[in-house]
Amino acid sequence: MLREAIYHRPKNNWCYAYDRQTVHVRIRTKRGDAERVTLLHGDKYNWHEIGHETTEMRVFAQDALFDYWQAEVRPAFRRLKYGFRLQAGRETLWLNEQGFHEQEPENPYLYFEYPFLNPADVFEPPAWVKDAVFYQIFPERFANGDPSNDPEGVLPWGGEPTPANFFGGDLQGVIDHLDHLERLGVNAIYFNPLFEATTNHKYDTEDYRKVDSHFGTNEKLKELVDACHARGIRVLLDAVFNHSGRTFAPFVDVLKKGQTSKYADWFHVRQFPLTVKEGIPTFDTFAFTEMMPKLNTENPDVQAYLLEVARYWIEEIGVDGWRLDVANEVDHRFWRKFRDVVKTAKPDAYILGEIWHDSLPWLSGDQFDAVMNYPLTEAILDFAVKGTRDGRQFADQLGSLLAAYPQQATEAAFNLLGSHDTARLLTLAGNDKRRVRLASAIQFTMPGTPCVYYGDEIGLDGGNDPGCRKCMEWDESKQDLELFGFFAGLTRLRRSHRALRDGSLRLLAAEPGRATLAYIREADGERFIVALNAGRRQAKLSLQATGEWSDALKGEPFRAERGKISVALPAYGFAVLKQG
Amino acid sequence: MLREAIYHRPKNNWCYAYDRQTVHVRIRTKRGDAERVTLLHGDKYNWHEIGHETTEMRVFAQDALFDYWQAEVRPAFRRLKYGFRLQAGRETLWLNEQGFHEQEPENPYLYFEYPFLNPADVFEPPAWVKDAVFYQIFPERFANGDPSNDPEGVLPWGGEPTPANFFGGDLQGVIDHLDHLERLGVNAIYFNPLFEATTNHKYDTEDYRKVDSHFGTNEKLKELVDACHARGIRVLLDAVFNHSGRTFAPFVDVLKKGQTSKYADWFHVRQFPLTVKEGIPTFDTFAFTEMMPKLNTENPDVQAYLLEVARYWIEEIGVDGWRLDVANEVDHRFWRKFRDVVKTAKPDAYILGEIWHDSLPWLSGDQFDAVMNYPLTEAILDFAVKGTRDGRQFADQLGSLLAAYPQQATEAAFNLLGSHDTARLLTLAGNDKRRVRLASAIQFTMPGTPCVYYGDEIGLDGGNDPGCRKCMEWDESKQDLELFGFFAGLTRLRRSHRALRDGSLRLLAAEPGRATLAYIREADGERFIVALNAGRRQAKLSLQATGEWSDALKGEPFRAERGKISVALPAYGFAVLKQG
């Protein structure tokens, strides 16, 4: 076996508490290299007296280079001492903290340790998240329910979006269209920022305690949240705590008074007075954006201010969690305090970080419940929309992602195919709705919570910002109602079957050079096969299966013969088959 | 290049802030595989506009399987986007977050990120630690300075230690012997527990707010701390927060009142009433030790109590930090709060965890400053004392340890060769003082703070507990004064030269099958060669060097000839050579 490929290190994604009783242990080997991996485990304080147990590990994920093995154990006294036995052919290796051994180490002391399963450290995302389907609303562009609060110079609904124009969307507009969301079947909304700010996107907060006057009032938001809750819809707000806007009163004070301002330490000023030299502000900002001064979240006053904001909207207005803008540029210490405040205010609040990259340092239970799962976005788009990744490459990328985080992080991941920060799915798909449906079918049959970006469900298109921030189309004659029906069907399907939400995921077919893929999702005795064809020609998949199956969306029956089921898929087609 | 061997993942020990300006980036390759590794780095928000920089990485550590490369960069705006270019022969590979590429990726978006260097997250152990030499005192056995506080049944000083007997050591005894410590040259004491408890080791705390009456009083400890500080000696206490003793008042209350006790939730009771069934207490304990009930550090009342204890001894008595007993079985959340309280009370307090294993999850700046470096203990003993590891294997183990943690953790590591929990060095060495000196020479020329276990410096021996807890020998005719002189010399040498404390460490010779090893330590233009012979025959090392050198302990001159210096070492001998 290739020793250089074998990797294990306690905690993080390799050995973690999945719940208050269960520890997951993982190890990585070169793909196809080890035939059997056994976890040897026991209590460090009676290893010799009681003896240790063995648990067979199974490959739960694979990527281009590696097999990832997992075992679940429930240590009687919450202490776990463990090592690995790896076998291939006639070769047997033992791995402990000191490395590889060709004989079983006699001394358990040098085995690995998960020292104690303390409940306080267990990473427990809210249980409702894996059962949710999210809908993202960019409020200025969703619906104008109250023309009386329109900003000056508002343009007629449906015009071309620019970085600076306004169309009058507001909270009343959302309230007016909750039926649309309910018909679509979503049960959670993620709102782009709602607080007072100067821009149409509101990422330049002026007042964190006040709904933007063009959107409505705090009372209106409470009315909206209550109306949502009455329909079983949860509400997530956008917390822009990395930076404020340039009209945020403390920043205005620093602009005016410089070093003598009592808010001078609320920001990261490299040099007074605040100015911009050759395109670079003399103070830290988001990117190099002068209008977005970075907040000093290490300053206790700033912390107290922002944490009170976090508490206020949950306790007073009733929101169900926060999406954190530019989350990875804010210090971990602040986020830990934030989590304490948020979870005290509402124990099952959802904390969702905007991180586009590998996010392990935020996903250990002390900071976020999940991140916006852009790596999955990329993988799905590459396979189903752009055609730059074949079935095997897509499967490898999925495997990488499954192995990258604790399982509960995967189950609570926020899976999106587009947002206010990307081109829209339909546009990326070259307006080919088959590809939109294919990508969405994958999204809705993955672990993690899917999110529909407003309008995608009725065929809205648009390139990168500002194109992706068009006004929602409310004229039914201009909506793609068939597409809406498709999305509503997907939502219904996912919400009806736990197997599609947090069931196990196992690949059934993923071959290099082919644009097809199939995987099984399974829970509580229910089993689904998801079969995909991202190719531009029809494809026939012959998949290992037994018994009776039916297309879960179309009802058509399938019967396995001689241990195989045959699924014919049109170009960019897919099928979700349910056993029985 | 062997792709399966290459490893990098942001944060932890792979990409971390070394200080408020500097980020260290590391990558692992198969040993001897890559010839050149280049870090490509820039600011994510102007990668294209400004262009990125390149920094050559260097191999800073090696172990049996891998080369570990490091580069240090100082990102102008504290944001770092980076990737790797790896070269061997005619092969060039680029590595980014998505894996390997045979062409340079055009899109920097998929490069790795260290998103923002926030000072709050920088891991900054106290600067004094790397300049310290510690001395560990087991107080019941160091010196009896006040017979009036002796426990009942005290035995004459110098008798055979048993798990339960008492010899009357106390704080006055320490005060009386501070001259000894000063002559030895140590400048920090780590005390085993001092608080009221029933045993001789005091790991079963009865009262966390009170010095054990057989050791003295809180005032006496303050007198001791003040006396130490006056001599430039810092004082570290033992915090036994994982568990209390069975006479701890809240536990006594639970024993008596069971579920109705107001302290019922201060412990982890699996079943009332508290009892022991077939050797297993019905409540969680340290190991299965009935007299050490595990504290529920998730209970806010317990937290408030213990955190006040942490504060009290620092603020009121003046101690300089805490060694944390059984540190890895207590929840991370508690330790984060503990760090806040301790660092608020004394910003340069030292927080030292007792963890015998890989300790990365505690060494990221949010919890401990260091751990008791038992893996180094094992490595040194195997090489220099037991002879079970050759020069190359020892070097590989050192390399593993250097790569395992952020550099500042290595610099603040607590390097010990024995403690109250192990057999004594002299006994492990089969009473061969040459081996004691050899092992100690390594310990004193390593990064991290060395600690001398009381009595080792004058030739005390003893096997595992209770043997290692003998009374200190104060009769000079029975002390090995030559050994004392040796230790005093090592201490003086280390304290006189920064190169030996936190200078760079580079291996000069480490060959498989040979019991010799040499390494260079260097800082501020000062350079040392440490040459070791752990073999039972004399050995001649021919080491790459130029210019004039001298033995730093004995003064003897050495001159390099034709680019080599020749060092003859007796069996179990060593030399520390200083350039110039």
Side-chain angles (χ1 to χ4, degrees):
Chain A
M1 285 168 283
L2 183 67
R3 297 186 185 195
E4 285 86 351
I6 297 170
Y7 190 89
H8 174 80
R9 197 168 188 188
K11 302 234 171 171
N12 286 319
N13 54 319
W14 298 105
C15 180
Y16 59 88
Y18 176 67
D19 57 33
R20 288 161 187 240
Q21 288 80 41
T22 316
V23 177
H24 286 183
V25 183
R26 295 174 175 175
I27 189 170
R28 184 184 94 173
T29 58
K30 177 179 162 68
R31 184 164 181 153
D33 199 18
E35 288 157 12
R36 187 177 172 195
V37 182
T38 309
L39 186 73
L40 319 175
H41 56 100
D43 189 292
K44 66 180 153 181
Y45 296 115
N46 66 8
W47 185 278
H48 285 303
E49 295 78 355
I50 305 291
H52 62 271
E53 298 172 76
T54 59
T55 299
E56 291 306 308
M57 306 188 74
R58 61 175 206 295
V59 175
F60 78 102
Q62 294 182 296
D63 65 16
L65 298 177
F66 303 109
D67 290 332
Y68 298 92
W69 306 70
Q70 179 170 307
E72 297 90 33
V73 294
R74 295 165 79 94
F77 301 103
R78 299 196 275 169
R79 300 177 295 229
L80 189 67
K81 190 96 187 163
Y82 63 95
F84 302 92
R85 185 177 64 219
L86 303 110
Q87 290 166 282
R90 286 187 301 182
E91 185 188 12
T92 301
L93 281 180
W94 283 261
L95 177 67
N96 69 7
E97 207 176 73
Q98 290 220 323
F100 296 99
H101 307 267
E102 285 162 20
Q103 307 290 330
E104 179 163 2
E106 272 178 43
N107 183 356
Y109 158 60
L110 293 171
Y111 276 4
F112 296 101
E113 276 202 11
Y114 186 86
F116 202 91
L117 200 171
N118 287 294
D121 293 329
V122 178
F123 175 19
E124 294 178 313
W128 62 265
V129 173
K130 54 189 172 190
D131 298 334
V133 177
F134 266 87
Y135 189 80
Q136 178 182 347
I137 293 179
F138 188 86
E140 222 280 315
R141 303 293 158 72
F142 187 66
N144 186 351
D146 180 1
S148 78
N149 63 24
D150 286 357
E152 217 176 318
V154 71
L155 298 169
W157 194 256
E160 196 61 33
T162 71
N165 60 7
F166 289 87
F167 293 95
D170 55 29
L171 296 181
Q172 185 60 50
V174 179
I175 294 173
D176 296 345
H177 289 286
L178 288 179
D179 281 349
H180 174 83
L181 271 62
E182 215 173 344
R183 280 200 309 276
L184 182 58
V186 301
N187 56 3
I189 302 173
Y190 152 44
F191 278 108
N192 285 101
L194 296 178
F195 307 151
E196 192 77 44
T198 69
T199 57
N200 55 32
H201 52 70
K202 310 290 176 202
Y203 278 101
D204 60 322
T205 317
E206 178 171 315
D207 186 344
Y208 288 87
R209 296 292 301 273
K210 185 174 171 302
V211 163
D212 189 274
S213 54
H214 302 306
F215 290 167
T217 60
N218 293 15
E219 293 66 39
K220 182 56 74 180
L221 180 58
K222 177 130 182 47
E223 183 189 332
L224 167 60
V225 169
D226 290 345
C228 284
H229 287 174
R231 295 173 188 248
I233 295 172
R234 286 187 167 84
V235 176
L236 199 70
L237 299 195
D238 207 322
V240 190
F241 288 0
N242 175 66
H243 54 266
S244 71
R246 112 191 99 183
T247 56
F248 180 50
F251 189 68
V252 171
D253 199 73
V254 180
L255 276 175
K256 193 159 67 181
K257 301 186 190 151
Q259 250 167 310
T260 63
S261 163
K262 66 176 175 166
Y263 299 105
D265 191 45
W266 278 49
F267 304 92
H268 297 263
V269 181
R270 289 196 301 277
Q271 205 189 323
F272 287 97
L274 279 59
T275 179
V276 178
K277 291 185 181 170
E278 296 171 24
I280 310 280
T282 62
F283 49 97
D284 288 351
T285 52
F286 168 71
F288 293 101
T289 310
E290 180 190 3
M291 68 182 298
M292 295 181 174
K294 184 170 168 68
L295 284 161
N296 180 6
T297 44
E298 301 188 16
N299 178 328
D301 296 336
V302 175
Q303 290 179 3
Y305 177 85
L306 294 176
L307 295 176
E308 169 56 16
V309 169
R311 186 206 63 79
Y312 168 81
W313 295 98
I314 292 177
E315 287 193 350
E316 313 293 327
I317 308 297
V319 306
D320 302 293
W322 289 102
R323 179 265 191 189
L324 313 172
D325 191 54
V326 199
N328 57 354
E329 297 190 20
V330 175
D331 58 288
H332 295 284
R333 273 174 71 95
F334 176 78
W335 289 134
R336 290 197 185 99
K337 290 177 183 170
F338 176 85
R339 185 177 186 87
D340 281 346
V341 167
V342 166
K343 297 286 179 173
T344 300
K346 187 171 274 194
D348 72 346
Y350 184 37
I351 300 176
L352 170 65
E354 185 208 14
I355 304 184
W356 295 55
H357 291 271
D358 187 14
S359 303
L360 188 63
W362 295 267
L363 293 176
S364 293
D366 57 332
Q367 295 166 72
F368 307 160
D369 294 314
V371 291
M372 298 182 84
N373 200 358
Y374 282 109
L376 180 67
T377 316
E378 294 282 325
I380 296 177
L381 295 179
D382 285 353
F383 170 67
V385 172
K386 299 176 191 166
T388 53
R389 214 185 278 255
D390 65 24
R392 165 70 181 265
Q393 290 166 326
F394 175 51
D396 289 347
Q397 185 66 11
L398 277 186
S400 259
L401 283 170
L402 290 174
Y405 301 132
Q407 186 176 316
Q408 57 268 55
T410 300
E411 291 169 353
F414 190 86
N415 295 339
L416 68 170
L417 294 177
S419 74
H420 63 291
D421 280 330
T422 70
R424 277 189 185 267
L425 179 57
L426 180 58
T427 297
L428 290 173
N431 286 302
D432 186 337
K433 289 183 183 165
R434 296 173 301 177
R435 292 186 157 197
V436 169
R437 286 193 293 265
L438 176 64
S440 302
I442 302 172
Q443 180 196 20
F444 273 76
T445 55
M446 279 287 137
T449 184
C451 180
V452 177
Y453 184 49
Y454 81 97
D456 278 2
E457 76 280 15
I458 48 96
L460 223 57
D461 64 2
N464 281 319
D465 170 18
C468 57
R469 300 175 180 186
K470 274 189 190 167
C471 294
M472 177 66 178
E473 181 56 69
W474 290 113
D475 178 347
E476 284 204 4
S477 72
K478 292 180 183 163
Q479 292 182 336
D480 184 334
L481 296 177
E482 195 188 327
L483 193 62
F484 181 85
F486 168 79
F487 272 101
L490 271 190
T491 302
R492 204 177 312 117
L493 180 66
R494 181 180 172 90
R495 292 187 56 188
S496 309
H497 301 286
R498 194 172 82 79
L500 295 172
R501 302 193 302 267
D502 65 333
S504 63
L505 171 66
R506 183 162 59 82
L507 286 173
L508 201 53
E511 287 166 51
R514 294 199 60 186
T516 54
L517 184 75
Y519 49 87
I520 293 188
R521 302 227 45 203
E522 193 170 356
D524 304 336
E526 257 193 346
R527 183 181 291 174
F528 289 83
I529 290 176
V530 182
L532 311 167
N533 175 22
R536 51 188 163 170
R537 293 201 193 79
Q538 70 158 37
K540 201 162 191 170
L541 280 76
S542 177
L543 304 168
Q544 276 199 309
T546 56
E548 306 286 335
W549 296 74
S550 63
D551 187 304
L553 286 166
K554 298 172 193 154
E556 189 189 340
F558 286 79
R559 152 170 276 171
E561 279 170 25
R562 288 189 289 276
K564 295 272 186 186
I565 200 165
S566 180
V567 187
L569 296 174
Y572 312 122
F574 73 93
V576 180
L577 307 184
K578 182 177 179 309
Q579 192 172 39
Chain B
M1 285 168 282
L2 183 68
R3 296 186 184 194
E4 286 86 350
I6 297 170
Y7 191 90
H8 174 80
R9 197 167 187 188
K11 302 233 170 171
N12 287 319
N13 53 318
W14 297 104
C15 180
Y16 60 87
Y18 176 67
D19 58 33
R20 287 161 187 240
Q21 288 81 41
T22 315
V23 177
H24 286 184
V25 183
R26 295 174 177 177
I27 189 170
R28 185 186 93 173
T29 58
K30 177 177 160 72
R31 183 162 182 155
D33 199 18
E35 289 158 11
R36 186 176 173 197
V37 182
T38 309
L39 185 74
L40 319 175
H41 56 99
D43 189 294
K44 64 181 158 183
Y45 297 114
N46 66 9
W47 185 277
H48 285 302
E49 296 77 355
I50 305 292
H52 62 269
E53 297 171 74
T54 59
T55 298
E56 292 306 309
M57 306 188 74
R58 64 176 203 295
V59 175
F60 78 101
Q62 296 182 295
D63 64 18
L65 298 177
F66 303 109
D67 289 332
Y68 298 91
W69 305 72
Q70 179 169 308
E72 297 89 35
V73 294
R74 295 165 79 96
F77 300 103
R78 298 196 276 167
R79 300 177 294 229
L80 188 67
K81 189 98 188 161
Y82 63 96
F84 302 92
R85 185 176 65 217
L86 302 110
Q87 290 165 282
R90 287 187 301 182
E91 184 188 13
T92 301
L93 281 180
W94 282 262
L95 176 67
N96 69 8
E97 208 176 72
Q98 291 221 320
F100 296 99
H101 307 268
E102 284 163 19
Q103 306 290 331
E104 180 162 0
E106 272 180 39
N107 183 355
Y109 157 60
L110 293 172
Y111 276 5
F112 296 100
E113 276 202 12
Y114 187 86
F116 201 92
L117 201 172
N118 287 294
D121 293 328
V122 178
F123 175 18
E124 293 178 310
W128 62 265
V129 173
K130 54 190 172 190
D131 298 333
V133 177
F134 267 87
Y135 189 79
Q136 177 181 348
I137 293 179
F138 189 85
E140 222 278 319
R141 305 292 159 72
F142 187 65
N144 186 351
D146 180 2
S148 78
N149 63 23
D150 286 357
E152 217 178 315
V154 71
L155 298 169
W157 195 256
E160 196 61 32
T162 71
N165 60 9
F166 290 87
F167 293 95
D170 55 29
L171 296 182
Q172 186 59 51
V174 180
I175 295 173
D176 295 345
H177 290 287
L178 288 178
D179 281 350
H180 176 82
L181 272 60
E182 214 172 345
R183 280 199 310 274
L184 182 57
V186 301
N187 55 4
I189 301 173
Y190 152 45
F191 277 108
N192 285 100
L194 296 177
F195 307 151
E196 192 75 46
T198 70
T199 56
N200 56 33
H201 52 69
K202 309 293 174 199
Y203 279 101
D204 59 322
T205 317
E206 177 172 316
D207 187 343
Y208 288 88
R209 299 291 302 272
K210 185 173 170 301
V211 163
D212 190 273
S213 54
H214 303 304
F215 290 168
T217 60
N218 293 14
E219 294 64 41
K220 182 57 71 179
L221 180 57
K222 176 130 183 50
E223 182 189 331
L224 166 60
V225 169
D226 290 345
C228 284
H229 287 174
R231 294 173 188 249
I233 296 172
R234 286 187 167 84
V235 176
L236 198 70
L237 299 195
D238 207 322
V240 190
F241 287 0
N242 174 66
H243 53 266
S244 71
R246 116 192 95 179
T247 56
F248 181 50
F251 188 69
V252 171
D253 199 71
V254 179
L255 276 176
K256 192 158 66 179
K257 300 184 191 154
Q259 251 168 309
T260 64
S261 163
K262 66 175 176 168
Y263 299 106
D265 191 45
W266 278 49
F267 304 91
H268 298 262
V269 182
R270 289 196 301 276
Q271 205 190 322
F272 287 97
L274 280 60
T275 179
V276 178
K277 292 182 180 171
E278 295 172 23
I280 311 281
T282 62
F283 49 97
D284 289 351
T285 52
F286 167 71
F288 293 99
T289 309
E290 181 191 1
M291 69 182 298
M292 294 179 173
K294 184 170 167 68
L295 284 160
N296 180 6
T297 45
E298 303 187 15
N299 178 328
D301 296 336
V302 176
Q303 290 178 3
Y305 176 84
L306 294 176
L307 295 177
E308 169 56 16
V309 169
R311 185 206 64 78
Y312 168 81
W313 295 98
I314 292 177
E315 287 194 350
E316 312 292 327
I317 307 298
V319 306
D320 301 293
W322 290 101
R323 178 264 191 190
L324 314 172
D325 190 53
V326 198
N328 57 354
E329 298 191 19
V330 175
D331 58 287
H332 295 285
R333 274 176 70 95
F334 176 79
W335 289 134
R336 290 196 185 98
K337 290 179 182 170
F338 177 85
R339 186 178 184 87
D340 281 346
V341 167
V342 166
K343 296 288 179 173
T344 300
K346 186 170 273 191
D348 73 346
Y350 184 38
I351 300 176
L352 170 65
E354 185 209 14
I355 304 186
W356 294 55
H357 291 270
D358 187 15
S359 303
L360 186 64
W362 295 267
L363 293 176
S364 293
D366 56 331
Q367 295 166 73
F368 307 161
D369 293 315
V371 290
M372 297 181 83
N373 201 357
Y374 281 109
L376 180 67
T377 317
E378 295 282 325
I380 296 176
L381 294 179
D382 285 353
F383 171 68
V385 173
K386 299 176 190 167
T388 54
R389 217 183 277 257
D390 66 25
R392 166 71 181 265
Q393 290 166 326
F394 175 51
D396 288 347
Q397 185 65 10
L398 276 186
S400 258
L401 284 170
L402 290 174
Y405 301 131
Q407 185 175 318
Q408 58 268 56
T410 299
E411 290 169 353
F414 189 85
N415 295 340
L416 68 171
L417 295 177
S419 73
H420 63 293
D421 281 330
T422 70
R424 277 189 184 268
L425 179 57
L426 180 58
T427 298
L428 290 172
N431 286 300
D432 186 338
K433 289 182 183 165
R434 296 173 301 177
R435 292 186 157 196
V436 168
R437 286 192 292 265
L438 176 64
S440 302
I442 302 172
Q443 179 196 20
F444 273 76
T445 54
M446 281 286 137
T449 183
C451 180
V452 176
Y453 185 48
Y454 81 96
D456 278 2
E457 76 280 14
I458 49 93
L460 223 55
D461 64 2
N464 282 317
D465 171 18
C468 57
R469 301 175 181 185
K470 275 189 191 170
C471 295
M472 176 66 177
E473 181 57 69
W474 290 113
D475 178 348
E476 284 205 4
S477 73
K478 293 178 180 162
Q479 293 183 336
D480 184 333
L481 295 177
E482 195 188 326
L483 193 61
F484 181 86
F486 167 78
F487 274 99
L490 272 189
T491 303
R492 202 179 312 116
L493 179 66
R494 180 180 172 92
R495 292 186 58 186
S496 310
H497 301 287
R498 196 173 81 80
L500 295 172
R501 301 193 302 266
D502 64 333
S504 63
L505 171 66
R506 183 163 59 82
L507 286 172
L508 201 54
E511 287 166 52
R514 293 200 61 185
T516 54
L517 184 77
Y519 48 86
I520 294 188
R521 302 231 40 206
E522 193 170 357
D524 306 334
E526 255 194 348
R527 182 180 292 174
F528 289 83
I529 291 176
V530 181
L532 310 168
N533 175 22
R536 53 189 163 171
R537 291 199 194 80
Q538 71 158 35
K540 202 160 188 171
L541 280 75
S542 176
L543 304 168
Q544 278 199 307
T546 56
E548 305 287 334
W549 296 74
S550 62
D551 187 305
L553 286 166
K554 299 173 192 153
E556 189 190 340
F558 285 78
R559 152 170 275 173
E561 278 170 27
R562 288 190 290 276
K564 296 272 186 183
I565 200 165
S566 181
V567 187
L569 296 174
Y572 313 121
F574 73 93
V576 180
L577 307 183
K578 183 177 180 307
Q579 192 172 39

